[in-house]
Amino acid sequence: MSQSEKEILGAGAGVAGAVAIETGTELGEIEVKARGYWEQVWRRFRRDKIAIAGGVTIIFLILAAFIGAPIAEHFLGHSPNDQFYSALTPLGAPIGPWSHVDNGLGGTTFFILGADSTLGRDEFLRLLYGARVSFEVAILATVGSISIGVLLGAMAGYFRGWTDTIISRITEITMAFPSLLFIIALASTVGDSINNITFGGIISPGVFTLFVVLAVFGWFYPARIIRAVVLSIREKEFVEAARMTGSSDWRIIRSHILPHLVAPITVYATLAVASFILAEAGLSFLGVGIKQPTASWGNLLQVAPDYYTVQPWLMVWPGLAVLITTLAFNLLGDGLRDAFDPRSTH
C-alpha cells in the first residue's frame, strides 16, 4: 500500500471516529441504511419546486372541477345551462364580470365572470363544468391510449420477429391515418347518437366519443416508447434467469418487465393528459367535439370571438384555463422525468 493510500484511509477512519464519538456510539455500531428506489425518486422530485407547484395546481383544478362546481352551483342558485335574458347590456351584449342579474323570481343572482353569450348563461359555472369535461376526456383517453400502447409495445419488444413486424406496420398506418377527417366524418354521421352515451350520467355527453377516438388514434406514441424500453429490458440478466427457471413469456412480461415500465408510463401519462386537453379544446372549437349545451373549454372559446369587441374577457377565461392546466401537467411531467432519472442533477 502506498503512502498516499495510507493517508486517505487514515483520514477516513478519523472522520468515522469523530462521528462515532459525537453520536456516542461504538465505531463498529455505525449502520448505513440504504435508500429504496422510490425513496430516491421522491427525494429527487421534492427538490423540484416548480414540478411540485404544477402538481398542486393540478390537484386544485381537479377539486374545483369535480367538487367545487356543484358547490358553486348550489350557492349561486342556478345551473350552467340556465339562461337569463336579463344578463345582457342595453346594447344586447353579454354582461361583464361581477354583475347582478334578475333571476325572474323577484330576486337577483350573481355572475362572477359575466355571461357567456347572448343566451345569458353563467360563464363562471360553465368554466368549472367545462373543466370537468376536459379532465374526463383527457384522463379517459390517456388511460385508453396507454393501455393499448403498453400492451402492443410490450408484445412487439419482447417477442420481436413477425409480431414486432405486424405491430410496427399497424403503428405506422395509425400514425399516417387522417384522424381529423375521420372525426369530422364521425361527427356528421353517427356522432349525435354516440354522444348520448353517458353510462347513466357518470360522464358528460360527448365525452365517450372523444375518449374512443383519441384513444384509438393516440396509442401509437406510447407503443413506440414501450417497445424501445422492452427491447432493452428483455436482454437483462434477471429476464434470462426467469426464462431459465421455466417462467412463461406472459409471466415474465407481467412480473419482471411491466414493473420496470412504471417510470416511462408515469412520465408519458402526465404529458398525454395535457395533449388530450388541447385536443379536446381544439376539436370542440372546430365544432366536432363537445356540443352545446354541454360546457367545455373548447366550445367556450368557439363562441368567444363573436364578442371580442364588447367582451374580450370571454376569450381570456377559457384560454387561461387551458394554458394553466397544460402548463401544470407539462411541468409535473418534466419533474417526474428528472426524478426517475438517477443521473439527474436536480
Side-chain angles (χ1 to χ4, degrees):
M1 183 180 296
S2 65
Q3 182 64 28
S4 59
E5 291 175 339
K6 292 179 180 179
E7 292 176 356
I8 293 174
L9 291 176
V15 172
V19 173
I21 292 173
E22 184 177 351
T23 57
T25 60
E26 296 294 335
L27 185 59
E29 296 178 359
I30 297 177
E31 181 180 354
V32 179
K33 182 181 178 181
R35 296 191 182 99
Y37 173 74
W38 290 106
E39 183 180 358
Q40 294 178 18
V41 170
W42 168 245
R43 286 173 62 88
R44 288 191 292 267
F45 177 74
R46 70 183 183 184
R47 297 194 195 106
D48 194 340
K49 305 302 181 183
I50 296 178
I52 291 178
V56 172
T57 303
I58 292 169
I59 294 173
F60 171 77
L61 290 172
I62 292 176
L63 292 177
F66 291 94
I67 298 179
I71 295 175
E73 179 181 350
H74 171 75
F75 281 103
L76 292 175
H78 56 267
S79 74
N81 294 330
D82 288 343
Q83 301 179 10
F84 296 87
Y85 296 105
S86 58
L88 302 174
T89 65
L91 298 178
I95 58 174
W98 299 97
S99 301
H100 290 273
V101 178
D102 183 8
N103 60 10
L105 301 174
T108 60
T109 187
F110 186 54
F111 277 25
I112 298 176
L113 298 181
D116 72 320
S117 63
T118 53
L119 295 178
R121 295 174 297 195
D122 191 330
E123 174 78 4
F124 176 69
L125 283 181
R126 292 185 66 78
L127 199 67
L128 289 180
Y129 278 94
R132 173 182 292 189
V133 169
S134 295
F135 278 121
E136 287 176 352
V137 171
I139 293 174
L140 289 175
T142 299
V143 172
S145 62
I146 287 181
S147 299
I148 300 173
V150 168
L151 176 62
L152 296 180
M155 291 174 58
Y158 182 82
F159 294 108
R160 299 189 296 186
W162 63 267
T163 303
D164 185 17
T165 301
I166 293 175
I167 294 177
S168 296
R169 298 297 83 77
I170 295 175
T171 302
E172 292 165 0
I173 292 172
T174 306
M175 293 173 62
F177 194 86
S179 56
L180 181 58
L181 295 180
F182 176 81
I183 294 171
I184 294 174
L186 185 68
S188 60
T189 53
V190 297
D192 291 337
S193 59
I194 301 178
N195 288 340
N196 294 326
I197 300 176
T198 61
F199 299 101
I202 297 178
I203 58 176
S204 303
V207 170
F208 179 77
T209 306
L210 288 183
F211 150 63
V212 172
V213 170
L214 294 177
V216 168
F217 292 104
W219 61 266
F220 63 86
Y221 196 73
R224 292 168 67 91
I225 295 175
I226 297 303
R227 174 185 175 273
V229 176
V230 172
L231 280 173
S232 174
I233 294 177
R234 76 180 303 276
E235 305 299 334
K236 301 294 184 181
E237 290 80 2
F238 62 88
V239 175
E240 292 294 335
R243 191 178 291 115
M244 292 176 62
T245 59
S247 298
S248 65
D249 291 332
W250 289 110
R251 179 178 176 82
I252 293 174
I253 293 175
R254 184 181 69 252
S255 302
H256 299 282
I257 293 181
L258 284 181
H260 289 80
L261 302 179
V262 172
I265 290 173
T266 303
V267 174
Y268 176 77
T270 57
L271 302 177
V273 171
S275 65
F276 285 134
I277 287 176
L278 286 175
E280 180 277 320
L283 293 173
S284 298
F285 181 81
L286 294 174
V288 294
I290 304 298
K291 303 294 182 64
Q292 299 281 359
T294 304
S296 79
W297 290 340
N299 59 33
L300 286 175
L301 284 169
Q302 182 187 27
V303 300
D306 296 337
Y307 311 100
Y308 75 96
T309 57
V310 292
Q311 282 298 343
W313 291 108
L314 295 180
M315 294 186 294
V316 173
W317 307 128
L320 275 178
V322 173
L323 172 64
I324 292 173
T325 305
T326 54
L327 179 62
F329 274 105
N330 283 320
L331 293 177
L332 177 61
D334 289 341
L336 289 174
R337 180 192 59 199
D338 294 337
F340 281 115
D341 185 2
R343 296 167 296 182
S344 174
T345 58
H346 293 285

